[in-house]
């Protein structure tokens, strides 16, 4: 089965450290989304890419977060420096634009910043 | 703009109860609508979809009918099980624009 792969699954880090989360979208998918999920805010959209170009990152704190797609098989979300309020589960989703297609989600990266 | 609005949770039911989670949409015409489910510790996964007006999607005993006259896509199940405890999200297609999922509806089923 084709699936979206996220690494690491869990990450515990100290405040101030850099965190990098990785996502391998399903081969052939041209759109990638990054979401953050917390109990308080639900599932928030951070950024999304189409054909590797960033289309919208308005949901992302620009001073510390950055998202890139160095190639079609890898999307990264970086936090530098990390803060305790960044603790959440971060999901990557991929899909094809146009038509009746659904989003395919990874298992998420659970980030804890202490 | 185009959007979907779903019932706030949490919803708590006893096993074998009937379930309805409301979802309405405002759009000039979505080609399809989706329900996703998120089980504890996992990512979202597609539960069912309907690809045009009056179409019914179904899976795992859940059903939803895409009703153009009421702009609704309510999720129903006749007899819920403890294993249905999860968070449910109604959403438009993964199409030309970003998908806003929100908080979903958290469902808890009591044995």
């Amino acid at each position: 089965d084709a699936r979206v792969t996220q690494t690491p699954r869990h990450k515990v880090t100290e405040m101030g450290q850099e965190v990098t989360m990785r996502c391998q979208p399903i081969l052939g998918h041209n759109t990638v989304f990054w979401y953050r999920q917390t109990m308080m805010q639900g599932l928030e959209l951070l950024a999304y890419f189409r054909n590797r170009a960033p289309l919208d990152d308005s949901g992302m704190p620009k001073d510390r977060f950055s998202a890139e797609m160095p190639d079609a098989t890898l999307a990264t979300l970086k936090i530098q420096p990390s803060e305790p309020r960044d603790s959440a589960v971060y999901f990557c989703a991929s899909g094809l634009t146009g038509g009746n297609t659904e989003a395919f989600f990874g298992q998420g990266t659970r980030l804890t910043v202490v | 703009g185009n959007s979907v609005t779903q019932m706030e949770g949490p919803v708590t039911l006893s096993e074998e109860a009937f379930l309805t989670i409301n979802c309405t949409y405002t759009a000039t015409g979505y080609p399809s609508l989706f329900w996703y489910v998120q089980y504890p510790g996992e990512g979202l996964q597609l539960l069912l979809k309907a690809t045009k007006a009056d179409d019914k999607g179904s899976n795992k005993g859940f059903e939803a009918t895409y009703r153009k006259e009421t702009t609704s896509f309510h999720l129903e199940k006749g007899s819920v099980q403890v294993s249905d405890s999860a968070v449910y999200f109604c959403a438009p297609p993964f199409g030309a624009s970003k998908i806003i999922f929100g908080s979903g509806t958290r469902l808890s089923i009591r044995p």
Side-chain angles (χ1 to χ4, degrees), chain B residues 8-42:
Chain B
E8 294 278 330
V11 174
T12 303
L13 296 172
S14 297
E15 204 165 21
E16 300 183 3
F18 183 85
L19 168 72
T20 300
I21 301 178
N22 292 339
C23 171
T24 56
Y25 65 90
T26 58
T28 54
Y30 285 128
S32 52
L33 287 168
F34 300 83
W35 277 100
Y36 294 82
V37 59
Q38 184 182 25
Y39 298 107
E42 299 184 12

Side-chain angles (χ1 to χ4, degrees), chain B residues 2-111:
Chain B
N2 298 340
S3 66
V4 293
T5 303
Q6 73 178 91
M7 182 172 128
E8 294 278 330
V11 174
T12 303
L13 296 172
S14 297
E15 204 165 21
E16 300 183 3
F18 183 85
L19 168 72
T20 300
I21 301 178
N22 292 339
C23 171
T24 56
Y25 65 90
T26 58
T28 54
Y30 285 128
S32 52
L33 287 168
F34 300 83
W35 277 100
Y36 294 82
V37 59
Q38 184 182 25
Y39 298 107
E42 299 184 12
L44 278 69
Q45 58 186 271
L46 181 68
L47 177 62
L48 56 82
K49 67 181 180 183
T51 57
K52 58 184 183 296
D54 299 325
D55 193 21
K56 178 189 284 188
S58 60
N59 186 24
K60 299 183 179 181
F62 290 88
E63 293 183 339
T65 300
Y66 185 160
R67 298 196 187 281
K68 201 172 180 180
E69 65 275 12
T70 54
T71 64
S72 65
F73 191 54
H74 304 325
L75 183 68
E76 297 181 333
K77 186 171 185 181
S79 176
V80 293
Q81 305 301 312
V82 172
S83 57
D84 294 327
S85 298
V87 183
Y88 293 82
F89 297 85
C90 180
F94 193 94
S97 61
K98 58 192 178 185
I99 306 179
I100 305 298
F101 282 96
S103 296
T105 301
R106 183 174 298 276
L107 174 66
S108 297
I109 307 299
R110 292 189 298 254

